[in-house]
Amino acid sequence: MLYLRTFGELRMTDGTGNALAYPAKALLTIAYLFTCTDHTLTRQEIAAFLWSDAEPDQAGLNLRKLISRIRQIDESDRAPLEITQSAVRLRTGVLSADLQVFDELRPPMEKLKAVSELLQRDFAGSVRSVNKAIDNWIARQQEIHLTKMRQVLLEAAGSATSTEDSRTISGAAVQILEQNPTDEPVRAILQSLPGIAASRQQPAMPSFRAMAEASSPTADGDPPDQRGLGRLPRLVLLPPTSQGGIGGLQLAAALVEDVTIELCALRNLSIVAPHTAEQIRRDSDKAAIIARHSISYLLDTRHSGEGLYAQLVFFPTDEIIWAMRFPMDAATLPTQRRLIAQHLASSVADELARNEQGRLSLEANPQAYHAYLVGASLIGKLTLPHIRRARSAFKEALKYNHGFAPAFTGLARSYTSEWLVTAQGNSELLNLAEQNAVKSIEYDEISAGGFRELGVTKLYLGDVDESVAALSHAENLSPHFADVIYSHADTLVHASRPGDALEKIKKAIALNPLAPDSYLWCAAGASYFLEQYEDAVAYVEAMKDKTPAHRIAAASLAMMGDRRRAHVYRQRAAALNPVFDVEKWLSVVPFKEQWQKDLYREGLLKAGF
């Protein structure tokens, strides 16, 4: 008896389990015929399916070549296909398939386990997108399979007798709700399971769909694009990774799965099922697959000796909007697991509610948003060409949406970044930065971004106290936004509090482990003023582009007595800015206390500036 596997890799095996070397399109034909009512199609129908984008004559020629290859492989009575001059028929008497699990007579719970396990793999998952006919067939079959699993779930819902049965039911319900988050009968089944608290104690949160429908119309009076606004926010909870080979990863993974089920019981979110989340975690290009699945948020989790660290990331802007660490004490975790899951689910839902208006605003202006993303991808590179290209992109965003607060935020940052990189003390750049930061706050006073840029600008204008106040407010608005924490740390360096600054920049780096160069530059500055010169140099050496930090590296090496390496960095800095003057620079760089200027001057002069 031959066996056809259609879920996952499409393949056919003989009675001993050995894979048969059938061409990919022959296997696809067999699978297609298996799903047809009488398992028979004309040659023209097969050709039109396999080569729908080709001319009929060419499709017919391709089919004749395929049939020739099939006949060379197998002409025995056990061949799965009976091919005549006009038709192709599947010989179901010699072939069985995994698809038959949907029609088997089994007890409901046993059948649900089999079906749910089968649907953990993608139907025809190894088939590359070839043409619309094949793509449409695969999509239609996936809908049929989900509908059948739903029916099995409804039949099995009342027959759970064990924890394992409950997990089977919850797993199937999550799979269905991933594709259809408005399926209330399935949600009711999930909420009825022991330990699912969301139905009885939902976090206070608005209806995201109602927020979308209430969004203002576009300038010409037409309703906004419902492809973005009519969609529920989509969240994926990535399985935890382990750091340092610490034990307990399975318990951490089970905890994340519990959180997934808790969130699926809510009506205001679309949750990616755990099996899809596992695929995303393993994929080498996570950004591409997340975008393909239209995911707005991801909950990234890491397990270490300090417990389970979870951070909620808004994917379009890569902003960490919430983070928390949970203890993973082996003695208490089994009893605390459900409470932790409920707390984590409630916290995530609350943060999504706070951030959702921002998502709707972004998706309502796709052209402005696209231009903004271009600018955001460039502004982190601290070179003058990148900064000015980013500025152009932010200005383009404002052409599409005159009140787009993130674009004003980006513009403000571009001006302060240019002021830093050029080191000429150009006050006009700072005035422009302040104007744009204020505009950002006017259009969005609950966003941390505008206050962050205002704080940075106030620092360079010499008003250190106002800078600290603005950045403290920004951090209160978004306490896990790593970029805000970095800017707060940078201001604390200039406020003559390098110890507090270093502690805060380390927190920013912990939130954003693949830290941008600006974080490391700030850490180097804080270390220098703590007279930890070796650490300062190490932070500079870790930067991908050391250009902005040549002066602090030279000063640190000079203070260590390493004049040769200090001279190398001084030459690099001089090549970039040959008119740099120590006293002029110190006159415009704001330090609250004189000892900092004296210490920096000493290092720069020793380095040969």
Side-chain angles (χ1 to χ4, degrees):
M1 193 73 170
L2 302 177
Y3 181 77
L4 178 68
R5 175 175 169 171
T6 63
F7 284 83
E9 181 186 3
L10 185 60
R11 64 176 176 170
M12 189 165 59
T13 57
D14 60 19
T16 60
N18 295 317
L20 300 178
Y22 269 69
K25 278 192 164 53
L27 293 173
L28 190 57
T29 300
I30 294 169
Y32 183 47
L33 287 168
F34 208 102
T35 63
C36 295
T37 304
D38 57 2
H39 309 300
T40 303
L41 291 172
T42 66
R43 283 195 176 205
Q44 289 82 0
E45 288 171 328
I46 294 290
F49 171 70
L50 295 176
W51 296 281
S52 65
D53 295 336
E55 294 294 329
D57 290 346
Q58 183 61 50
L61 176 61
N62 293 342
L63 180 61
R64 288 194 294 274
K65 290 179 180 179
L66 178 62
I67 288 173
S68 177
R69 291 182 62 192
I70 293 173
R71 284 172 171 163
Q72 289 175 7
I73 295 171
D74 197 349
E75 290 186 343
S76 69
D77 293 339
R78 309 300 295 172
L81 294 176
E82 179 183 322
I83 303 171
T84 68
Q85 291 297 319
S86 60
V88 180
R89 183 177 70 85
L90 185 66
R91 301 178 66 202
T92 55
V94 301
L95 180 73
S96 62
D98 53 6
L99 283 166
Q100 292 171 305
V101 71
F102 292 105
D103 302 316
E104 291 176 352
L105 294 176
R106 296 193 191 187
M109 186 58 65
E110 181 183 330
K111 186 172 181 178
L112 180 62
K113 289 178 181 178
V115 169
S116 180
E117 181 180 345
L118 193 64
L119 264 64
Q120 294 293 319
R121 301 183 294 274
D122 291 333
F123 177 72
S126 62
V127 176
R128 292 184 296 109
S129 178
V130 178
N131 60 53
K132 289 183 179 179
I134 293 174
D135 292 344
N136 291 340
W137 169 70
I138 291 174
R140 187 167 62 252
Q141 291 303 309
Q142 290 173 336
E143 291 177 2
I144 292 171
H145 302 154
L146 205 65
T147 299
K148 289 182 176 180
M149 183 170 74
R150 182 181 185 278
Q151 183 58 41
V152 177
L153 172 64
L154 295 175
E155 294 172 359
S159 58
T161 59
S162 65
T163 301
E164 183 182 353
D165 289 347
S166 294
R167 297 197 72 82
T168 298
I169 290 173
S170 65
V174 168
Q175 285 179 269
I176 294 167
L177 289 171
E178 176 187 6
Q179 301 302 320
N180 183 13
T182 62
D183 192 328
E184 291 304 320
V186 171
R187 192 183 310 280
I189 291 173
L190 183 63
Q191 292 175 340
S192 68
L193 295 175
I196 303 298
S199 62
R200 297 180 291 277
Q201 189 179 354
Q202 288 202 27
M205 56 195 297
S207 167
F208 297 145
R209 192 177 298 278
M211 290 170 64
E213 292 170 352
S215 297
S216 59
T218 55
D220 56 5
D222 294 331
D225 184 357
Q226 290 303 307
R227 288 176 299 176
L229 295 180
R231 214 173 48 221
L232 290 175
R234 193 161 170 78
L235 167 69
V236 60
L237 294 88
L238 298 180
T241 56
S242 181
Q243 295 179 333
I246 302 296
L249 183 61
Q250 287 185 327
L251 271 177
L255 174 59
V256 172
E257 187 174 333
D258 279 350
V259 176
T260 303
I261 294 170
E262 288 284 344
L263 288 170
C264 281
L266 298 174
R267 293 176 174 81
N268 300 347
L269 302 171
S270 175
I271 306 297
V272 175
H275 72 285
T276 305
E278 180 65 40
Q279 295 173 30
I280 293 173
R281 169 65 81 189
R282 293 197 304 264
D283 199 284
S284 58
D285 190 356
K286 290 183 179 61
I289 193 170
I290 287 171
R292 187 164 66 249
H293 284 275
S294 301
I295 294 168
S296 301
Y297 301 92
L298 63 91
L299 185 75
D300 194 15
T301 56
R302 298 193 298 270
H303 178 238
S304 68
E306 298 178 349
L308 180 70
Y309 177 73
Q311 59 181 19
L312 182 65
V313 181
F314 183 47
F315 177 70
T317 59
D318 200 30
E319 177 184 345
I320 299 171
I321 60 176
W322 173 86
M324 187 173 289
R325 191 179 300 278
F326 297 91
M328 298 288 287
D329 186 341
T332 61
L333 182 60
T335 58
Q336 294 293 317
R337 187 173 125 185
R338 173 58 55 186
L339 292 176
I340 293 175
Q342 291 171 7
H343 174 66
L344 183 52
S346 176
S347 298
V348 168
D350 285 344
E351 291 301 326
L352 288 177
R354 293 189 187 98
N355 199 62
E356 192 54 15
Q357 191 63 57
R359 179 186 76 93
L360 296 174
S361 175
L362 291 175
E363 294 183 355
N365 298 278
Q367 291 175 306
Y369 181 40
H370 178 267
Y372 164 76
L373 287 182
V374 171
S377 69
L378 295 168
I379 196 65
K381 301 177 177 67
L382 295 172
T383 68
L384 204 54
H386 284 101
I387 291 168
R388 289 178 175 170
R389 284 168 57 199
R391 183 179 302 149
S392 296
F394 294 134
K395 288 181 177 179
E396 182 182 356
L398 288 172
K399 291 179 183 177
Y400 297 112
N401 182 356
H402 301 304
F404 192 41
F408 285 115
T409 299
L411 279 176
R413 192 180 312 174
S414 77
Y415 289 119
T416 52
S417 297
E418 182 171 340
W419 183 85
L420 275 174
V421 170
T422 55
Q424 295 297 307
N426 187 339
S427 60
E428 180 61 24
L429 291 172
L430 296 182
N431 291 332
L432 289 169
E434 183 176 20
Q435 291 170 21
N436 282 280
V438 170
K439 286 182 180 178
S440 177
I441 294 170
E442 287 175 355
Y443 284 108
D444 188 356
E445 62 182 14
I446 64 171
S447 171
F451 287 99
R452 175 202 176 196
E453 298 310 322
L454 182 62
V456 170
T457 305
K458 287 292 187 183
L459 170 66
Y460 299 144
L461 286 169
D463 196 339
V464 177
D465 291 336
E466 282 293 316
S467 174
V468 171
L471 284 161
S472 295
H473 185 63
E475 191 171 347
N476 287 335
L477 287 170
S478 190
H480 304 288
F481 192 175
D483 285 353
V484 168
I485 297 170
Y486 144 70
S487 294
H488 196 176
D490 190 43
T491 289
L492 290 174
V493 171
H494 294 271
S496 304
R497 295 165 56 187
D500 293 339
L502 189 59
E503 182 180 343
K504 199 167 282 291
I505 194 61
K506 286 180 177 179
K507 178 183 177 183
I509 293 172
L511 287 169
N512 194 359
L514 301 177
D517 287 342
S518 54
Y519 288 28
L520 302 172
W521 186 16
C522 174
S527 298
Y528 179 88
F529 291 111
L530 289 170
E531 301 184 43
Q532 298 171 2
Y533 303 121
E534 290 185 5
D535 290 345
V537 174
Y539 280 119
V540 173
E541 292 293 338
M543 294 171 65
K544 294 183 179 66
D545 180 8
K546 302 173 183 59
T547 302
H550 285 163
R551 289 191 296 274
I552 198 72
S556 298
L557 288 164
M559 296 297 278
M560 291 165 57
D562 191 340
R563 297 294 180 87
R564 183 186 62 82
R565 290 174 65 198
H567 182 67
V568 171
Y569 273 105
R570 188 197 67 78
Q571 286 184 316
R572 293 174 181 173
L576 292 167
N577 189 356
V579 298
F580 176 77
D581 180 85
V582 172
E583 294 304 327
K584 180 179 179 181
W585 179 237
L586 289 176
S587 69
V588 296
V589 175
F591 289 121
K592 188 169 185 179
E593 297 182 8
Q594 184 62 35
W595 67 265
Q596 282 186 285
K597 289 192 177 186
D598 294 340
L599 187 61
Y600 199 15
R601 178 187 292 107
E602 181 182 356
L604 291 172
L605 293 177
K606 282 185 176 180
F609 286 95

